[in-house]
């Protein structure tokens, strides 16, 4: 499964919507995604499972890049 993770790069800063970034990760569950990212110091805002038409849309977007963790 592919998950889209919305995050802030620095966990100690107050989240600001304009600084929110996104990455795409392949994993079996949301819990595994969070475990993989736990040591990176990110402030994870939201993890969204992508499937069907929404996954196709994201894959055709120019910023789509599957992260290897």
């Amino acid at each position: 499964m592919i998950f889209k993770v919305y995050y802030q790069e620095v966990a100690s800063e107050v989240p600001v919507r304009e600084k929110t970034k996104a990455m795409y990760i392949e994993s079996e569950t949301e819990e595994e995604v969070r475990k993989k990212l736990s040591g990176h110091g990110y402030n994870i805002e939201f993890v969204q499972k992508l499937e069907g038409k929404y996954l196709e849309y994201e894959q055709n977007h120019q910023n789509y890049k599957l992260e290897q963790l």
Side-chain angles (χ1 to χ4, degrees):
M1 287 181 260
I2 306 294
F3 291 88
K4 185 174 184 179
V5 180
Y6 296 91
Y7 69 99
Q8 302 281 323
E9 287 189 320
V10 182
S12 61
E13 292 181 5
V14 175
V16 177
R17 177 61 51 202
E18 291 78 16
K19 292 183 180 180
T20 298
K21 297 187 178 189
M23 71 172 71
Y24 303 91
I25 298 178
E26 185 171 12
S27 190
E28 291 297 317
T29 64
E30 179 182 336
E31 184 180 359
E32 286 181 14
V33 171
R34 291 180 179 276
K35 284 181 182 178
K36 288 178 181 179
L37 294 174
S38 65
H40 289 79
Y42 297 141
N43 180 8
I44 298 172
E45 293 181 22
F46 185 65
V47 178
Q48 180 179 22
K49 180 179 166 184
L50 301 179
E51 55 190 354
K53 296 278 185 188
Y54 190 55
L55 176 58
E56 289 177 33
Y57 172 80
E58 291 289 335
Q59 288 174 330
N60 290 324
H61 195 268
Q62 65 181 350
N63 293 331
Y64 180 83
K65 179 184 173 216
L66 199 56
E67 299 291 330
Q68 301 296 321
L69 299 176

